[in-house]
Amino acid sequence: MRRREVLILGASLVGTAAVRRALGQDPGPSPRAAVVIGIDRPGKPGHLPPLTAAASGAKMFGDWLESQGFDVARFTDDKGPIAISSIKKAVSDFASRPNLDQLVIYFSGHGCLVNGQERWLLSGAPEDSGEAINFAASFDRAQRWPITNIVFISDACRSRPGSFTQDLLDGTSIFVVPDEAAVGKAPKIDKFFATGIGQPSLEVPIGENVDKFEGLYTSVFLDAFKTPDADMVVEVEPGVKVVPNRKLEDFLRREVRKRSAILQIDVRQDPQTDVCSSDKTYIGRLAAKSKIAPAQAPKPNLSDVVNMALGEVNLGLGVQRLGKSDKTVNNINAAAAQTGFSRAREVILSVQTTPEEANLPGGFVVVGSAVERVTASQGVRASVAAAEERSRVQVEFDGPAATLAIRFRGGGGTVAVALRDFVGQIVVEEGLVMNVSYDESGNPPSDQVRQLRATVATAAQFGSFRIPGYGEERTTQARNLGNTLRMGKFADPTLGLYAAYAYWEAALADGIQSVAHFMRDDLDVDLFDVSMLSGELSGHEPPPDVFPPCPMLSQGWNLLRVRDVTLPPAFEQSQRYLLPALWTTFAAPGMDLIEQAMKEGGNRKG
C-alpha cells in the first residue's frame, strides 16, 4: 500500500453522435472530450515520495475514455515534465468547441488541501506555487462555460500539507474566462473524489505483484462499468447499456472499502461523490464482457447523515434516499458517530450564552480559548473581559457593523464581524475557529434554530453541506433552503454564508443573489463572502460597507484571484499565515500584520 499523500501535504445522454463515434461510425469532432493528467513525480527529487501508478492509471483511464467516444488530451510525466500552461490550452481548445456537450477532467497524483480546497500537484510544484491545479478556482471558472456536463475526477489525497512550502500553494485555474459571446446556461458539474476530507488516496499492489501498483480508486471506478450492480444499469437505446453518473456513488464507496479490507489496509478511504447531472447523464457504457451483479442495498454515507439531520430540524430540507425504517435510522446514526459528525455537532450545541451575555448590545462570546486582546476598526471601541476558556468581547458601535481582530491565547486569532443588535459566539478548538454563530441581542434562538445551525455548521466542517437532489428536486431544495434561512427575520447571518457557498457549489447564481439581497435588507450591511460570490467585489478592493475586508470562511480565500478581488495589503500578506480551520484563522505573524494595519488606520470605519 502507498499513500498518494503530500508529506510536506453524458451530457444529458450525449446522444447518438457519441455512441456512433465510440463504435467507429462517426469520424467528426466528438461532442465528448477529456483532459487526462497523471503525475508520478512532482517537484524536485527527494521532496516528495514518487508514485508508481499515477501516470499508468491516467493512461489506462484515457484509453477507456477513448473507447467511449471521447477525444482525449493526455498529460503524463513519464516522458518529461508537465506544465499548467499546456493543460490550460487543452481545456480551452476543447471547451471552445461549439458542439461540446461533455468534458471530463481526470487527475491522478499527489494532492493536498489548502484553505480547505484541493490542490493537484504538477511537475513544477510545490516549489512553483502556480504549477498546481487549484480545484476551487477551476470549478468556479468552469461554471461559466456553456457545456452541458463537466465531470471532475480526482484520484489524489485530500490531506493537509505538512510543510510551509505547500501551505503557500496558490495553484491555478485550468479554465479561462470564456468570451462573453460563449457564456450560456450554467453546466451541471459532477465531482468524484477518491477520498474524503483529510484522507489519503491509496496505491495498492496489482494482484500478488508487489512491484506493480494501481490507484485503488481508479481501478474501482473502471470496474463499475465491468461488474456493475443491476440497479446501476440503464439502457439508453436498444442494445446500449450505460452506468449513469448518478448511479456510481454507492458502488465506489462500497468497493473501495471492500478492497481495502481484503488487502488489510487500516487507513480509511471514503470516496466523496457530488453529482448534479440527470439520471440520463453518463460517461461510459458497459464493457462488452461485463458481469452484472445483483442489486445491493446502499449503505449510509455522510450525505445521508447530513440529510437526515437536516430533515429532523426542517421538513423541507434534506433528501431521504434510504427510507425511514428503524434499522435504516439506526445505521445512519451509527455512521454519524463513526465519522465524528455527532461529536462535532454536539460541541457546537453545547455552547450557549448566559442571560447576561445574551443581553449584550453587541459583541462576542469566545469559548475554548481566552482572548488576549481585541483590535477594532477605526471609530469603534471594543473591550474584553477574559476568563479561562471563555471571554466576552463588548463593542460600542458607530454603524451597523465593525471589523474586529481577535487574538487568542497563544498568538493566533481571527478577523470577525461584530453586528449591531447581535451577540456572536466563536467556538475555538486547539487554536482554530470551528464555528461562528449569531443571536439577536436579548432574543435567544429557538431550539429549532440552534439545531439547524449546528447541523449546517457541522456539515460545512465536513465538506458536506450541499444542495441535495437532482434536476427539479435540486431546484426545490434550493428554494426550501432560501425559505428556511429567513425564519421570520434573519435568524443567524452565518446561515446565509453557508447557503451562499452551497449555491455556489451547485452553480445557482440566482440563489447567491437572493442571499445577498435579503442579508442586506435585514442587516443593513454586506458580508464579504456573499459579496464576493455574487460578483460584486470583482475588480477592486472591498468598499467600506462590506465587512470584514477578507473572507470569513477559509474556503473563500481560494476564490480571491479567480474572482479578481483585491484585499488591503496587510490582509493580502496575512494569507500565507492561514491555519487549517473552517473559519478564517491566522497564526501569530498574520495577526501581527492585521493588528498593525488596523491601528494605523489601514481599515474601514465601523
Side-chain angles (χ1 to χ4, degrees):
M1 177 195 73
R2 301 183 181 183
R3 300 186 185 203
R4 291 186 167 173
E5 192 169 22
V6 179
L7 301 179
I8 50 174
L9 181 35
S12 264
L13 190 63
V14 192
T16 48
V19 174
R20 287 175 179 171
R21 180 176 177 84
L23 299 176
Q25 299 170 356
D26 187 352
S30 175
R32 315 173 88 194
V35 176
V36 175
I37 308 155
I39 306 296
D40 281 328
R41 291 171 173 77
K44 295 180 180 179
H47 283 198
L48 291 170
L51 301 173
T52 59
S56 60
K59 289 180 180 179
M60 181 170 60
F61 205 88
D63 291 344
W64 176 72
L65 287 172
E66 284 188 345
S67 75
Q68 303 301 316
F70 283 81
D71 286 339
V72 180
R74 301 168 184 257
F75 298 92
T76 58
D77 66 346
D78 52 332
K79 295 182 180 179
I82 301 299
I84 191 81
S85 57
S86 300
I87 295 171
K88 288 180 68 173
K89 184 179 186 306
V91 172
S92 295
D93 288 346
F94 282 144
S96 300
R97 283 186 179 179
N99 72 326
L100 192 70
D101 284 328
Q102 187 176 44
L103 177 61
V104 172
I105 307 295
Y106 169 91
F107 176 83
S108 180
H110 276 299
C112 65
L113 292 182
V114 178
N115 302 332
Q117 292 290 337
E118 288 76 12
R119 302 290 193 271
W120 302 335
L121 278 66
L122 301 179
S123 300
E127 291 80 12
D128 186 336
S129 67
E131 286 295 318
I133 296 172
N134 183 320
F135 170 75
S138 299
F139 175 80
D140 186 77
R141 289 267 176 89
Q143 294 182 24
R144 309 184 193 188
W145 284 92
I147 302 167
T148 306
N149 179 226
I150 297 175
V151 184
F152 288 95
I153 303 170
S154 167
D155 192 351
C157 290
R158 304 176 75 194
S159 44
R160 282 290 306 169
S163 78
F164 184 70
T165 302
Q166 291 206 326
D167 266 325
L168 299 179
L169 267 178
D170 290 332
T172 303
S173 168
I174 56 174
F175 282 82
V176 300
V177 177
D179 294 335
E180 188 172 341
V183 176
K185 185 177 180 181
K188 299 296 184 184
I189 302 180
D190 299 335
K191 293 171 284 186
F192 295 90
F193 295 111
T195 187
I197 295 288
Q199 294 179 348
S201 181
L202 305 174
E203 291 187 338
V204 297
I206 300 175
E208 300 296 324
N209 194 326
V210 296
D211 296 321
K212 292 185 178 181
F213 286 74
E214 63 183 358
L216 176 60
Y217 182 75
T218 293
S219 176
V220 169
F221 196 103
L222 294 176
D223 281 350
F225 302 88
K226 300 174 185 176
T227 57
D229 300 341
D231 56 351
M232 295 168 60
V233 180
V234 174
E235 189 167 7
V236 295
E237 58 181 84
V240 179
K241 295 180 179 180
V242 305
V243 177
N245 297 355
R246 283 183 56 180
K247 301 288 188 178
L248 289 167
E249 180 174 10
D250 289 321
F251 181 93
L252 294 172
R253 185 170 179 269
R254 183 189 74 225
E255 291 301 312
V256 166
R257 281 195 167 189
K258 181 188 295 185
R259 297 185 196 189
S260 295
I262 292 172
L263 293 167
Q264 299 182 332
I265 299 171
D266 60 0
V267 177
R268 287 186 65 89
Q269 180 175 341
D270 298 308
Q272 184 172 321
T273 304
D274 183 24
V275 174
C276 296
S277 59
S278 74
D279 56 4
K280 292 184 177 180
T281 301
Y282 66 92
I283 300 172
R285 308 181 315 280
L286 263 65
K289 297 181 180 180
S290 63
K291 297 178 181 179
I292 300 177
Q296 299 190 38
K299 299 293 179 64
N301 58 28
L302 194 54
S303 294
D304 297 316
V305 170
V306 171
N307 284 327
M308 188 176 81
L310 288 173
E312 288 174 346
V313 296
N314 186 286
L315 296 179
L317 292 178
V319 174
Q320 307 299 323
R321 70 184 187 105
L322 299 181
K324 297 182 179 179
S325 69
D326 290 343
K327 182 179 180 180
T328 298
V329 170
N330 289 338
N331 288 339
I332 294 177
N333 285 334
Q338 183 182 45
T339 58
F341 185 92
S342 297
R343 177 197 169 276
R345 186 168 178 265
E346 286 304 316
V347 169
I348 295 172
L349 283 171
S350 67
V351 178
Q352 299 188 54
T353 54
T354 66
E356 181 182 10
E357 293 166 344
N359 287 307
L360 288 172
F364 286 97
V365 176
V366 181
V367 179
S369 176
V371 174
E372 283 192 357
R373 62 177 175 268
V374 176
T375 305
S377 48
Q378 283 188 304
V380 176
R381 288 194 296 177
S383 59
V384 56
E388 194 67 29
E389 301 303 310
R390 194 175 187 103
S391 303
R392 187 169 68 239
V393 177
Q394 188 163 339
V395 181
E396 297 180 27
F397 290 87
D398 281 347
T403 296
L404 304 181
I406 302 176
R407 186 183 286 262
F408 309 136
R409 177 177 294 167
T414 189
V415 173
V417 180
L419 297 170
R420 185 176 56 198
D421 301 326
F422 281 88
V423 179
Q425 297 86 42
I426 298 176
V427 181
V428 183
E429 274 200 345
E430 298 180 356
L432 306 177
V433 179
M434 66 173 294
N435 188 57
V436 177
S437 58
Y438 293 87
D439 297 333
E440 285 189 271
S441 180
N443 185 23
S446 67
D447 186 61
Q448 182 186 16
V449 170
R450 292 184 64 249
Q451 295 282 342
L452 173 64
R453 71 187 184 191
T455 301
V456 170
T458 307
Q461 182 179 335
F462 280 76
S464 296
F465 183 56
R466 296 183 174 89
I467 297 172
Y470 310 91
E472 185 57 36
E473 183 181 49
R474 198 177 187 97
T475 302
T476 300
Q477 284 290 304
R479 183 169 57 249
N480 290 343
L481 176 62
N483 293 337
T484 298
L485 291 173
R486 296 310 302 267
M487 287 190 173
K489 194 183 175 184
F490 208 165
D492 185 339
T494 62
L495 291 176
L497 290 183
Y498 293 130
Y501 281 104
Y503 285 129
W504 173 76
E505 287 268 7
L508 297 172
D510 289 347
I512 299 172
Q513 295 291 345
S514 175
V515 170
H517 175 74
F518 69 66
M519 289 187 78
R520 187 178 300 119
D521 283 353
D522 284 352
L523 302 175
D524 195 27
V525 70
D526 291 317
L527 298 184
F528 183 98
D529 302 58
V530 179
S531 294
M532 175 182 68
L533 292 172
S534 69
E536 296 175 6
L537 300 184
S538 297
H540 54 80
E541 284 190 18
D545 57 351
V546 173
F547 293 85
C550 67
M552 297 173 70
L553 286 172
S554 293
Q555 68 189 97
W557 292 84
N558 290 287
L559 299 177
L560 293 172
R561 183 171 298 177
V562 73
R563 287 293 176 114
D564 190 26
V565 179
T566 304
L567 299 185
F571 288 85
E572 180 71 34
Q573 295 168 29
S574 68
Q575 183 172 353
R576 69 180 61 188
Y577 301 109
L578 282 167
L579 296 174
L582 175 63
W583 288 80
T584 291
T585 310
F586 297 103
M591 292 302 297
D592 293 341
L593 289 168
I594 291 168
E595 287 175 338
Q596 185 63 32
M598 293 178 70
K599 290 175 182 176
E600 294 174 353
N603 197 265
R604 72 286 315 281
K605 293 184 178 181

